[in-house]
């Protein structure tokens, strides 16, 4: 883990070595401990750390970039030389922007100093206590307990300097019974806010409730999705919908539709790194301040996120959502928040005549970007709801459904939001949701 | 390097570790992408570090650091021992490794042209030329051409006396054109999707890919897809090209045969496998036509190496023999479960990662048909090519794939182009419906460079060889708009 003052020193050295050339220095530094368990015992247990530097130089309308993870003078010299050489052999790129000037950032700290300090022994004791309850019920627990810190620093030869760090602790557990499973997961900057025992109890209860699942035919069902399942749908909106590049190229569901009603009235989506339940940085990979952006307001498409380049091309302002430059994705929202509604999962169940209650989804993937047609499997607990009551566990389904259609058929959103990961990662803040007529295209054997 | 590896091994021994290994790894990466006439990605990165793995009190510990000096090797090793001791408080039995040969040797990927010695200007020039061809139609809104190479030099030393100096090189290139009109988005890639074709070889691969020669056709197919008929829904005979079969093999045979996954180690993230150990040696996985071989010795494979990260030699063995499931991917830790020595499948994606069981090069062995014959004797079918989307359930039964393009087959003749092609099946039923595989003249080893597994996630590379094959009465056209 490299602290801001050491980063400042190294950035200065790099700028001196670049000798008057415009230069940007990007640091990514991290430290992580992760304990994996399976079949109620520890299976893997690691501690690692690394710091990586990426040096981008600009010579007029040309850029070059090179990276390293050693910071002795010889390595820094070699890396700067490589970046300069790469810049010198490029053709002029008329759209390349000069480096930004120094910026002011809204304070943000998702950093809790206790989180990185947990010892291997303390983690094992917490896991042992949690899986003890599973052993007693003749079930088997598998999962992870992780903790660490990450920081990103960005400095450039125009005097811009940014550095932000956050901590993260995570516990995720799957409990397996003979023909069923349950799952629970939590991530928080504060390790004391992550409770392995409680999470394991939730997963265990689900696994036990899911025993003897019955097979139902695929088809359309009303669904009540827990937050992790909702996050899975939102991730594809973030990747394929709310970035300026797919928007500009006609590949997004909001292309040509800003100001128009695109989703159900109940849906308000922002990208907000300052939300207390999310994790992230208060600047982007150009060093621009990350703004909170309202993307959809009560169903009306309001905006997409920008970096400096897409902003310039469309006459907008950067919203501070650049990825490391150059890149092929354009800007991307990394901290989606779906605003809470006024319901609870119990109320959603009570209002459902026939439907399915779903814990989360597995291995989702996109089939068609504009309707956001995606597929994936249900996982770790699917329950039939009839006449307002949870009736019966059922076997897993594959869904093939348009996220745009599904978000137009939302009937209720939960009062509480959670920070949830999708299968492909990312972290999204969202509530549970009740959606009418969700399409399950096939069944599986368990 | 031996003086540095000795520090880790001696420190581990004095801290109660009967087994220890250290991998020192130097990784050099170059990635270049041109997108719509501009530089889309440029990476020339190097990474150096080491990871120490120990067994203390019968449990594993692992710690890694980028600081390759005597003091940090010592402290990192002590930390690994401390982690192992803590882990030993929650174990069932002691970790026991298979007994394997001790070796002191070196190995490297055979190369004709070192990709790192080819000037970047030459590489960029090729990518910009492709980009220009792809963008010659105004409906192409995104053209991406990519080239990459990686070199990993690793020194592995174990407390048993093994020392291996191994250098692996991977090279590849490819491109994709995305056509957009009135809310319709269609993509074609060459030679395969998600970055192109990669192999364990040098720049000679790129020279042989006929990249320029195929750019116009790729662009025109992307544009033609905008107005193509949608894939029909129902049951059809399905012919898959080699690039799509590569991913079908990967997801429905590669992952389910990883023994750690079978044993529940991956349960919380990627899931388990239906190929449980009581099925070993007897389960009918596919038709008689289906023989799948794992091979980490095949020339050009992305998972071709001399030795794995357990120090076990590369091997070739059957996974499915004429339809019967007969082989697992194993490492030294889990092979004893099936009473065997390790198959040498233990790999880590960097010095900071813990080695674990990874798929090697698993290939569908060629049959005796030609693609023309297959089409000629298909009455009502679809030919689907190039993967676009993939998904499979947590036991590896229910899969659904999307392909970039399809063509109708009616009464033995190729007909209209089809867009939004999808097919879905249950793994053993699907492979059971395979009634023909094309011959060795139509067989290619295709690379997968984005295989994710583990927590924290690791990315591995491997190749899957396949010739086109036919599957009878498959569900196609799932979830049409
Ligand atoms: Zn994979």
């Amino acid at each position: 883990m490299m602290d801001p003052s050491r980063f400042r020193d190294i950035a200065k050295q790099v700028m001196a070595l670049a000798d008057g050339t415009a230069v940007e220095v990007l640091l990514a530094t991290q430290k992580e401990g992760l304990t994996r368990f399976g079949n109620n015992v520890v299976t893997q247990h690691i501690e690692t750390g690394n710091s990586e530097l990426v040096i981008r130089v600009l010579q007029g309308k040309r850029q070059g970039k090179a990276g390293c993870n050693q910071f002795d003078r010889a390595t820094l010299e070699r890396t700067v030389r490589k970046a300069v050489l790469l810049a010198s052999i490029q053709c002029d790129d008329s759209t390349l922007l000069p480096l930004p000037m120094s910026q002011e950032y809204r304070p943000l700290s998702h950093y809790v100093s206790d989180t990185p300090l947990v010892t291997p022994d303390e983690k094992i004791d917490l896991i042992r206590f949690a899986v003890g309850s599973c052993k007693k019920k003749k079930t088997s627990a598998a999962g992870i307990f992780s903790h660490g810190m990450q920081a990103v620093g960005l400095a450039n030869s125009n005097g811009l300097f940014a550095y932000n760090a956050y901590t993260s602790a995570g516990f995720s557990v799957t409990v397996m019974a003979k023909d069923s499973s349950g799952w629970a997961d939590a991530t928080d900057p504060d390790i004391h806010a992550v409770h392995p025992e409680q999470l394991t109890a939730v997963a265990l209860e689900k696994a036990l409730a899911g025993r003897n699942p019955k097979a139902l035919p695929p088809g359309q069902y009303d669904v009540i999705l827990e937050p992790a399942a909702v996050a899975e749908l939102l991730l594809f909106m973030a990747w394929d919908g709310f970035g300026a590049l797919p928007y500009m190229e006609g590949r997004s569901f909001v292309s040509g539709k800003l100001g128009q009603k695109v989703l159900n009235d109940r849906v308000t989506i922002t990208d907000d790194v300052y939300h207390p339940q999310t994790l992230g940085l208060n600047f982007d990979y150009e060093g621009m301040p990350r703004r909170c952006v309202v993307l959809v307001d009560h169903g009306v498409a309001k905006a997409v996120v920008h970096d400096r380049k897409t902003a310039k091309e469309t006459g907008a302002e950067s919203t501070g959502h650049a990825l490391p430059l150059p890149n092929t994705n354009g800007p991307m929202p990394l901290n989606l928040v779906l605003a809470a509604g006024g319901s609870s999962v119990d109320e959603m169940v009570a209002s459902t005549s026939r439907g399915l209650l779903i814990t989360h989804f597995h291995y989702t993937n996109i089939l068609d970007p504009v309707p956001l047609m995606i597929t994936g499997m249900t996982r770790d607990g699917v329950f039939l709801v009839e006449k307002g009551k949870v009736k019966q566990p059922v076997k897993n389904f594959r869904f093939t459904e348009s996220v745009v259609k599904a978000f137009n058929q939302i009937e209720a959103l939960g009062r509480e939001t959670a920070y949830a990961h999708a299968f492909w990662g990312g972290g999204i803040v969202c509530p549970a949701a009740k959606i009418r007529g969700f399409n399950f295209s096939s069944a599986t054997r368990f | 390097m031996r003086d540095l590896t000795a520090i880790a091994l001696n420190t581990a021994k004095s801290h109660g570790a009967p087994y220890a290994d250290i991998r020192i790894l130097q990784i050099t990466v170059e990635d270049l992408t041109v997108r719509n006439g501009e530089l889309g990605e440029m990476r020339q990165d190097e990474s150096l570090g080491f990871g120490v793995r120990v067994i203390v009190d019968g449990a594993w510990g692992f710690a890694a650091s980028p600081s390759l000096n005597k003091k940090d090797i010592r402290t990192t090793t002590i930390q690994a021992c401390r982690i192992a001791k803590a882990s030993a408080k929650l174990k069932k039995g002691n970790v026991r490794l298979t007994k394997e040969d001790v070796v002191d040797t070196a190995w490297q990927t055979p190369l004709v042209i070192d990709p790192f010695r080819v000037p970047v200007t030459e590489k960029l020039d090729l990518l910009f030329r492709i980009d220009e061809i792809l963008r010659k139609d105004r409906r192409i809104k995104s053209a991406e051409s990519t080239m990459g190479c990686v070199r990993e030099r690793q020194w592995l030393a174990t407390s048993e006396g093994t020392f291996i100096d191994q250098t692996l090189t991977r090279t590849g290139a490819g491109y994709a054109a995305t056509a957009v009109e009135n809310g319709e988005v269609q993509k074609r890639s060459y030679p395969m999707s998600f970055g192109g074709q990669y192999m364990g070889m040098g720049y000679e691969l790129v020279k042989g890919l006929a990249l320029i020669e195929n750019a116009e056709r790729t662009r025109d197919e992307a544009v033609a897809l905008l107005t193509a008929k949608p894939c029909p829904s129902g049951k059809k005979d399905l012919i898959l090209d080699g690039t799509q079969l590569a991913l079908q093999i990967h997801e429905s045979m590669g992952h389910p045969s990883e023994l750690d996954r079978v044993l529940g180690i991956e349960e919380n993230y990627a899931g388990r496998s239906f190929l449980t150990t009581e099925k070993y040696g007897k389960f009918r996985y596919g038709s008689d036509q289906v023989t799948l071989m794992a091979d980490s010795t095949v020339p050009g494979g992305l998972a071709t190496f001399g030795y794995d990260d357990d120090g076990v030699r590369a091997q070739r063995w059957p996974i499915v023999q004429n339809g019967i499931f007969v082989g697992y991917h194993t490492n030294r830790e889990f092979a004893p479960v099936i009473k065997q020595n390790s198959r040498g499948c233990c790999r880590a994606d960097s010095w900071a990662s813990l080695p674990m069981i990874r798929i090697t090069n698993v290939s569908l062995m060629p049959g005796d048909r030609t693609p023309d014959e297959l089409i000629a004797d298909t009455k009502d079918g679809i030919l689907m090519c190039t993967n676009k989307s993939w998904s499979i359930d947590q036991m590896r039964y229910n899969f659904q794939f999307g392909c970039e393009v399809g063509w109708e087959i009616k009464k033995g003749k190729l007909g209209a182009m089809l867009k939004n092609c999808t097919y879905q099946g249950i793994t053993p039923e699907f492979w059971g419906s395979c009634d023909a595989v094309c011959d060795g003249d139509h067989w290619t080893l295709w690379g997968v460079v984005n295989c994710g597994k583990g927590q924290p996630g690791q990315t591995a590379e491997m190749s899957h060889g396949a010739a086109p094959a036919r599957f009878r009465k498959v569900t196609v056209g799932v979830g049409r708009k």
Side-chain angles (χ1 to χ4, degrees):
Chain A
M1 186 81 181
M2 190 187 290
D3 62 24
S5 65
R6 169 115 169 95
F7 171 54
R8 204 183 278 274
D9 286 349
I10 288 176
K12 268 189 200 150
Q13 277 187 59
V14 169
M15 284 173 210
L17 288 165
D19 196 19
T21 310
V23 57
E24 173 192 273
V25 188
L26 171 65
L27 166 79
T29 177
Q30 53 120 355
K31 196 172 172 327
E32 181 178 30
L34 190 143
T35 313
R36 277 183 112 183
F37 52 100
N39 302 316
N40 296 332
V41 297
V42 171
T43 55
Q44 295 171 10
H45 192 166
I46 67 166
E47 284 189 13
T48 68
N50 194 17
S51 296
E52 289 170 302
L53 212 60
V54 177
I55 297 166
R56 187 165 72 102
V57 301
L58 270 69
Q59 296 177 337
K61 291 286 178 189
R62 301 167 178 204
Q63 61 180 326
K65 190 169 108 168
C68 60
N69 78 331
Q70 307 288 318
F71 310 111
D72 55 282
R73 194 177 164 84
T75 305
L76 291 177
E77 258 176 21
R78 185 172 65 246
T79 309
V80 169
R81 225 176 16 242
K82 271 202 242 175
V84 169
L85 179 68
L86 277 169
S88 71
I89 58 168
Q90 305 295 320
C91 301
D92 276 6
D93 174 355
S94 60
T95 66
L96 185 66
L97 295 172
L99 297 170
M101 306 303 288
S102 171
Q103 304 286 323
E104 302 243 331
Y105 306 107
R106 178 173 158 186
L108 174 69
S109 177
H110 294 299
Y111 194 96
V112 177
S113 53
D114 270 4
T115 298
L117 304 177
V118 186
T119 67
D121 271 303
E122 287 166 333
K123 274 187 291 178
I124 297 295
D125 289 343
L126 285 165
I127 294 169
R128 188 159 56 163
F129 197 63
V131 304
S133 57
C134 299
K135 269 190 204 162
K136 273 184 218 142
K137 295 279 181 190
K138 298 206 161 40
T139 56
S140 144
I144 56 161
F145 193 5
S146 68
H147 69 122
M149 54 187 169
Q150 292 191 48
V152 172
L154 195 99
N156 76 27
S157 48
N158 284 348
L160 183 146
F161 185 89
Y163 183 99
N164 201 199
Y166 61 89
T167 54
S168 150
F171 187 82
S172 179
V173 60
T174 310
V175 177
M176 296 289 296
K178 198 171 126 266
D179 55 6
S180 63
S181 59
W183 173 86
D185 176 284
T187 306
D188 198 279
D190 184 358
I191 193 144
H192 305 300
V194 172
H195 305 290
E197 195 195 342
Q198 280 174 24
L199 292 162
T200 307
V202 171
L204 175 60
E205 195 188 319
K206 227 169 206 160
L208 296 177
R211 286 177 296 189
N212 303 314
K214 102 173 170 188
L216 284 184
Q220 297 230 332
Y221 290 86
D222 292 351
V223 290
I224 298 154
L225 304 181
E226 293 192 14
V230 177
E232 207 70 55
L233 308 183
L234 282 162
L235 184 76
F236 291 95
M237 275 196 183
W239 284 2
D240 294 287
F242 291 132
L245 207 56
Y247 169 76
M248 289 158 61
E249 293 175 353
R251 299 186 280 115
S252 159
F253 79 105
V254 295
S255 288
K257 292 187 176 165
L258 290 189
Q260 293 177 31
K261 188 79 184 297
V262 290
L263 302 173
N264 179 303
D265 286 344
R266 293 181 175 89
V267 179
T268 293
I269 302 171
T270 52
D271 185 79
D272 183 8
V273 75
Y274 306 97
H275 191 286
Q277 283 177 297
T278 196
L279 290 173
L281 308 167
N282 57 358
F283 57 90
D284 72 3
Y285 291 90
E286 291 180 296
M288 298 304 286
R290 198 179 294 272
R291 295 187 191 170
C292 170
V293 182
V294 179
L295 301 162
V296 175
D297 188 4
H298 294 89
V300 177
K302 285 290 185 190
V304 292
V305 298
H306 284 284
D307 56 21
R308 289 163 70 234
K309 187 174 168 192
T310 63
K312 190 168 181 228
E313 285 169 17
T314 56
E317 284 182 5
S318 167
T319 58
H321 288 83
L323 299 180
L325 296 177
N327 67 71
T328 57
N329 296 307
M332 195 83 81
L334 301 177
N335 300 91
L336 279 201
V337 178
L338 171 62
S343 191
S344 70
V345 169
D346 288 347
E347 287 161 15
M348 292 180 203
V349 168
S351 71
T352 302
S353 58
R354 190 163 193 272
L356 298 172
L357 171 62
I358 287 163
T359 307
H360 70 146
F361 291 132
H362 167 78
Y363 222 135
T364 49
N365 213 331
I366 189 145
L367 295 163
D368 196 357
V370 173
L372 285 169
M373 181 72 74
I374 67 171
T375 187
M377 295 298 302
T378 63
R379 189 169 179 180
D380 300 325
V382 184
F383 299 91
L384 178 67
V385 175
E386 269 182 336
K387 292 179 187 149
K389 295 229 154 51
V390 176
K391 269 278 150 57
Q392 155 89 51
V394 296
K395 290 190 178 180
N396 287 292
F397 288 112
R398 169 175 297 287
F399 72 90
T400 304
E401 184 55 286
S402 151
V403 179
V404 176
K405 185 195 130 201
F407 270 61
N408 268 298
Q409 299 188 175
I410 287 183
E411 296 204 325
L413 289 168
R415 266 191 292 275
E416 284 169 18
T417 54
Y419 178 78
H421 300 288
F423 181 77
W424 297 109
I428 287 169
V429 176
C430 60
K434 183 179 166 185
I435 299 175
R436 190 165 20 89
F438 198 79
N439 184 44
F440 293 96
S441 49
S442 57
T444 189
R445 291 192 175 176
F446 57 94
Chain B
M1 285 298 165
R2 285 179 200 255
D3 52 331
L4 293 176
T5 59
I7 292 167
L9 301 178
N10 293 334
T11 307
K13 195 174 178 187
S14 64
H15 283 77
Y19 176 85
D21 61 43
I22 173 170
R23 290 179 303 114
I24 300 171
L25 188 54
Q26 190 175 37
I27 308 171
T28 314
V29 182
E30 182 183 278
D31 275 324
L32 298 166
T33 300
V34 169
R35 184 181 196 275
N36 291 354
E38 296 163 12
L39 203 58
E41 170 66 274
M42 182 200 301
R43 266 181 83 196
Q44 271 200 350
D45 293 350
E46 48 184 63
S47 180
L48 174 69
F50 66 95
V52 180
R53 192 169 68 144
V54 301
I55 298 174
V56 180
D57 297 343
W60 284 118
F62 177 83
S65 163
S67 309
L68 191 61
N69 59 63
K70 289 177 183 176
K71 181 175 148 277
D72 284 305
I73 292 174
R74 228 173 260 124
T75 52
T76 303
T77 304
I78 293 168
Q79 183 61 5
C81 294
R82 189 174 165 218
I83 289 168
K85 265 189 200 128
S87 301
K89 294 197 293 184
L90 189 55
K91 64 176 182 182
K92 212 173 280 167
N94 291 335
V95 174
R96 284 189 202 290
L97 303 179
T98 56
K99 199 168 159 39
E100 306 285 350
D101 292 343
V102 170
V103 294
D104 192 329
T105 187
W107 196 89
Q108 51 187 325
T109 306
L111 299 177
V112 179
I113 305 168
D114 183 346
F116 288 95
R117 288 183 178 270
V118 176
V120 175
T121 43
E122 187 182 326
K123 296 169 180 166
L124 282 174
D125 181 55
L126 176 58
L127 296 178
F128 274 105
R129 278 168 63 205
I130 296 165
D131 181 78
E132 202 182 315
I133 301 170
L134 295 181
R135 288 190 299 125
K136 273 202 176 123
D137 189 300
R138 62 172 178 80
R139 288 163 291 189
I140 301 296
K141 299 294 182 203
S142 164
E144 272 184 38
S145 314
T146 300
M147 195 180 297
C149 49
V150 181
R151 175 155 297 146
E152 295 174 357
R153 181 159 188 196
Q154 175 170 289
W155 296 266
L156 165 69
T158 77
S159 55
E160 294 165 342
T162 282
F163 187 93
I164 300 164
D165 173 358
Q166 178 161 269
T167 304
L168 303 178
T169 304
R170 301 186 289 271
T171 308
Y175 50 84
T178 304
V180 182
E181 199 167 45
N182 303 325
E184 186 74 41
V185 179
Q186 295 294 338
K187 183 176 189 174
R188 279 298 276 145
S189 310
Y190 180 85
M192 66 188 293
S193 37
F194 310 110
Q197 164 72 324
Y198 281 72
M199 293 186 82
M201 52 197 284
Y203 199 75
E204 63 277 13
L205 169 70
V206 177
K207 287 188 178 284
L209 287 175
L211 293 168
I212 295 284
E213 294 82 340
N214 284 281
E216 202 174 300
R217 178 185 60 77
T218 304
R219 173 197 71 208
D220 292 348
E221 284 183 3
V223 171
L225 277 166
L226 290 172
T227 50
K229 289 208 295 193
C231 176
S233 294
K235 298 262 186 195
K236 299 273 182 194
D237 290 345
L238 179 64
I239 300 177
L240 296 178
D241 79 335
T243 60
Q244 172 56 31
L245 264 173
L247 205 64
Q248 177 76 51
I249 294 165
H250 182 88
E251 298 291 4
S252 68
M253 193 62 239
H255 284 302
S257 64
E258 295 165 340
L259 189 55
D260 56 345
R261 172 193 292 269
V262 171
L263 298 172
I265 308 301
E266 295 295 321
E267 172 57 39
N268 180 245
Y269 173 53
R272 295 194 174 211
S273 166
F274 69 95
L275 287 174
T276 39
T277 48
E278 82 285 352
K279 294 193 177 80
Y280 181 51
K282 33 188 185 232
F283 179 72
R284 180 154 280 280
Y285 170 86
S287 67
D288 286 346
Q289 274 69 28
V290 178
T291 292
L292 291 150
M293 295 293 293
D295 189 353
S296 45
T297 68
V298 61
L302 287 174
T304 297
F305 43 77
Y307 297 83
D308 76 351
D309 292 343
D310 272 343
V312 175
R313 192 133 61 107
Q315 300 168 42
R316 181 176 198 267
W317 72 102
I319 299 281
V320 172
Q321 186 76 56
N322 298 106
I324 305 297
F325 166 59
V326 293
Y328 281 115
H329 282 86
T330 64
N331 63 0
R332 291 186 69 185
E333 181 180 4
F334 295 113
V337 174
I338 54 163
K339 300 186 172 61
Q340 284 188 355
N341 269 26
S342 170
R343 288 297 187 180
C345 308
C346 204
R347 293 191 285 153
D349 72 350
S350 89
W351 51 265
S353 304
L354 184 68
M356 60 181 167
I357 295 179
R358 299 306 313 236
I359 307 171
T360 55
N361 309 303
V362 180
S363 301
L364 178 64
M365 292 295 102
D368 55 5
R369 308 292 294 273
T370 67
D372 288 347
E373 279 171 32
L374 275 200
I375 290 164
D377 103 320
T378 301
K379 280 201 189 84
D380 179 23
I382 301 180
L383 165 66
M384 291 192 198
C385 304
T386 319
N387 183 263
K388 184 157 102 173
S389 177
W390 67 101
S391 172
I392 188 161
D393 76 32
Q394 49 275 29
M395 293 297 283
R396 303 267 148 182
Y397 274 126
N398 180 319
F399 61 79
Q400 182 168 312
F401 288 101
C403 292
E404 287 184 353
V405 66
W407 280 273
E408 275 180 344
I409 306 171
K410 293 274 185 215
K411 293 180 185 154
K413 292 213 157 53
L414 272 191
M417 180 187 260
L418 300 171
K419 69 177 178 183
N420 300 344
C421 287
T422 51
Y423 67 97
Q424 181 272 330
I426 296 286
T427 299
E429 292 170 9
F430 177 78
W431 285 102
S433 76
C434 178
D435 76 337
V437 180
C438 289
D439 59 24
D441 292 346
H442 299 92
W443 189 93
T444 305
L445 199 56
W446 294 104
V448 169
V449 291
N450 57 352
C451 175
K453 185 180 176 184
Q455 297 161 300
Q458 294 188 40
T459 304
E461 304 79 14
M462 61 286 295
S463 298
H464 303 295
R470 182 174 59 195
F471 302 82
R472 294 291 196 182
K473 301 275 167 289
V474 178
T475 300
V476 299
V478 187
R480 283 184 46 194
K481 281 194 260 183

